[in-house]
Amino acid sequence: MARKPGTLKQLRDSGYNVASVKEEMRRNLIKKIRRGEELFPGIVGYEESVIPQLENAILSGQDVIFLGERGQAKSRLIRALVSLLDDEVPSVAGCEINDNPFRPICRSCRDRLAEEGDAVKIAWLPPDQRYGEKLATPDITIADLIGEVDPIRVAEGRYLSDELTIHYGLIPRTNRGIFCINELPDLAERIQVGLFNIMEERDVQIRGYRIRMPLDVYLVATANPEDYTNRGRIVTPLKDRYGAQIRTHYPRRVEHEIDIMEQERHRFDDVEHEVSVPQYMKEVVAEITRLARRSPDVNQRSGVSVRASIADYESLLANALRRAIRLNEKMVVPRVSDLPYVIPAISGKVEFETVEDGKEEQILEKLIQGAVLAVFNRHFNVVELEEVVTRFKGGLSVEVSDVLPSAAYVKMARTIPGLQRAVAKVCPEGSPALVASAVELILEGLHLNKRLNKDKVGGRIQFRG
Ligand SMILES: [Zn+2]
């Protein structure tokens, strides 16, 4: 390959065409669509909703605002947009605001161009230098986002509109790139007006000086839908500027929630244990989150992130591993009696409507029970377990716990009529740890369907007729 142009002259001679950031993203998107490339790897469940809308926004050169509750992969989507930027683009070397060498906007580059002409040096910018993001808070100032006039330089007698007196903020520093403002409605109204002016009018008032800054930025924002629709939270002209409002959502299908859990959970490779998670236990974890998203006791404005499922899943597996190590079992298989250990994980991930002391744990326990019941009923019909129930009605009682060896469950399955067959339904392979997990699901499911009684004595759980 020919050497990259290092001066303005070489760049011009190479015939290089500088595109606007929107043209560049559009061009690269079209290429990727043609090649059938996966545009947003690792993003699950948005194939038919968010992604086509986002692609359309890029194709039409529209700035985007994502509306959604927390934990809906908004940041991940936005960062993935960086993959639509060219591998490198030329800029005036040393420029603070990534100036286009053919048409620099900062004063310093324009002066250099006038002095050095075609000898001006070119730097090549990688995509990560063309991305910026900021969490909006009420104390963010125009200086942070756009820039500040240096009062000392003004006092030195510089001409008032002389941009040499400007200290550039975050957005100019992302010139010719993508800039994301998270939680846009939290920005003070005055700052929103400044933002609009810089994007639309291409000039801005800083300390009373009107400064021209024709930036080229792809602007993305996120907002909670409720804040966004609240009148007065976003100034109308800024709202109008966003060409596309895209509503994100939580996984619509349990399988998507599970795929994300599996994909995102923290993995270690320091243990020799084999981890095997029955499908129904994954479903239980996903279902806990899904029930929390509908619970009147949980603040639905903040939502319940997929991160709750991931953290619950990790805690569940941790407790199962702890048991396997203690009992010297080779296989790690989570059980229903491991579920209370997800409470510390989910507690930090939901906001409760009520703040009565101690009530939170009760609410979470109810969600867990609801999840187990729903999943049990998906896999079993209580009628097919009548034989098991009859045995308990006849005086049988069994004890289970999260530290009971798997072999004890294998014995139960073998001796309680009908239980073995039920176990085989969800656990065709039948290693002891898997049998243990299945037995617990069945006993708890029968209890939640009011077919068995259950007593808790310390850490042990007793089922009886
Ligand atoms: Zn410059």
Side-chain angles (χ1 to χ4, degrees), residues 279-405:
Q279 180 63 19
Y280 57 82
M281 286 308 290
K282 296 178 189 173
E283 289 173 21
V284 168
V285 174
E287 199 63 42
I288 294 170
T289 307
R290 295 165 70 82
L291 289 176
R293 286 182 194 138
R294 296 199 297 266
S295 166
D297 296 317
V298 171
N299 181 325
Q300 299 303 335
R301 187 194 158 278
S302 359
V304 183
S305 164
V306 185
R307 287 190 282 271
S309 300
I310 299 163
D312 287 354
Y313 194 44
E314 290 169 342
S315 301
L316 184 77
L317 293 179
N319 203 58
L321 171 66
R322 198 164 56 92
R323 166 179 53 250
I325 297 169
R326 273 186 159 183
L327 301 178
N328 200 19
E329 293 188 359
K330 255 204 104 44
M331 224 178 167
V332 175
V333 182
R335 312 170 176 170
V336 170
S337 59
D338 294 322
L339 287 169
Y341 293 90
V342 310
I343 289 179
I346 194 173
S347 290
K349 305 257 177 318
V350 295
E351 275 170 43
F352 295 94
E353 287 289 359
T354 45
V355 279
E356 264 175 75
D357 247 3
K359 186 119 191 283
E360 286 93 345
E361 197 161 323
Q362 262 175 289
I363 294 167
L364 294 174
E365 276 167 6
K366 267 213 178 122
L367 291 176
I368 293 172
Q369 286 176 357
V372 175
L373 178 63
V375 171
F376 173 84
N377 288 344
R378 219 175 277 158
H379 292 270
F380 292 99
N381 185 339
V382 276
V383 182
E384 57 189 330
L385 288 154
E386 267 320 304
E387 206 181 345
V388 177
V389 174
T390 308
R391 196 57 200 271
F392 278 93
K393 297 282 179 234
L396 175 71
S397 80
V398 298
E399 240 179 50
V400 305
S401 85
D402 74 301
V403 290
L404 188 67

Side-chain angles (χ1 to χ4, degrees), residues 91-100 104-110 112 168 175:
S91 164
V92 179
C95 175
E96 284 181 281
I97 60 169
N98 305 336
D99 260 331
N100 170 355
I105 57 176
C106 87
R107 183 54 182 262
S108 144
C109 286
R110 280 185 284 142
R112 275 171 65 194
Y168 290 107
N175 186 30

Side-chain angles (χ1 to χ4, degrees), residues 329 331 333 335 405-410 427 429-439:
E329 293 188 359
M331 224 178 167
V333 182
R335 312 170 176 170
S406 300
Y409 294 87
V410 173
C427 157
E429 288 178 41
S431 85
L434 283 165
V435 171
S437 176
V439 168

